[in-house]
Amino acid sequence: MKIRNMLFDDLSNVRKLWKEVGFLLSESDSIDELKRMLKHNQNLCLVMVEEENNNEIIGAVLGGFDGRRGWVHHLAVKQSHRRKGLGKKLMINLVSAFKSMGVIKIKLEILESNEEIIQFYKGIGWKLRNELITMSLDLPRE
């Protein structure tokens, strides 16, 4: 297994992985939007590849930095490779990249119904923040 920075050429396979694990992809997960994410966060978007299997992407995570906080988006590991610590390895690499930038707080959002993922993050040291409410505004394309 090798972890490296995500490339534009990886995006179709990363989207395929996300679909395989059941992510509901939105317009913000389009190839064009993901390219924009990569341009702004080159060292924070990672893939895990299986070198002995033609560099197949078996894991991926998007990290973003807004100038103040680090953000984690769409951590996924291929179903057949779960429960081997690979998601944790991806997060260790991402957290290390954030630390090298001087980031002191990293945040993420999880659907309340996704208990398995909530437990995963608790197991690697993340704290659940029940006092926060997330709101969003979808802007129309012009």
Side-chain angles (χ1 to χ4, degrees):
M1 310 296 165
K2 176 183 172 184
I3 296 174
R4 62 168 173 75
N5 289 341
M6 193 179 293
L7 307 171
F8 288 165
D9 290 344
D10 295 325
L11 294 176
S12 291
N13 288 325
V14 168
R15 284 177 44 86
K16 181 180 172 191
L17 170 67
W18 289 340
K19 288 177 185 177
E20 286 175 8
V21 301
F23 285 4
L24 299 175
L25 301 181
S26 69
E27 188 176 348
S28 66
D29 300 309
S30 70
I31 296 290
D32 287 341
E33 290 295 309
L34 293 172
K35 283 181 179 180
R36 200 160 72 158
M37 177 82 171
L38 288 182
K39 284 179 191 174
H40 292 282
N41 298 282
Q42 282 184 324
N43 299 321
L44 298 173
C45 298
L46 308 172
V47 293
M48 179 178 282
V49 297
E50 199 169 46
E51 294 173 293
E52 58 275 4
N53 193 14
N54 202 26
N55 288 314
E56 177 187 8
I57 293 174
I58 59 168
V61 64
L62 296 178
F65 180 58
D66 65 13
R68 185 167 168 250
R69 301 273 192 255
W71 283 90
V72 178
H73 307 275
H74 292 349
L75 171 66
V77 172
K78 194 171 184 171
Q79 203 76 32
S80 59
H81 289 71
R82 289 189 178 171
R83 306 255 185 255
K84 298 177 183 178
L86 302 181
K88 183 177 180 177
K89 285 182 184 179
L90 275 167
M91 287 304 299
I92 287 169
N93 278 264
L94 180 56
V95 168
S96 177
F98 280 130
K99 282 182 182 177
S100 72
M101 297 171 65
V103 173
I104 60 172
K105 183 172 267 192
I106 307 167
K107 301 179 89 175
L108 58 85
E109 296 174 328
I110 303 170
L111 290 174
E112 187 176 34
S113 61
N114 200 338
E115 188 61 34
E116 179 183 4
I117 299 304
I118 292 169
Q119 293 308 316
F120 166 78
Y121 280 106
K122 282 182 175 180
I124 61 171
W126 288 68
K127 290 185 251 173
L128 186 62
R129 302 280 308 267
N130 290 323
E131 73 278 14
L132 299 175
I133 296 172
T134 297
M135 298 177 72
S136 67
L137 175 65
D138 293 335
L139 300 175
R141 291 266 183 198
E142 299 193 20

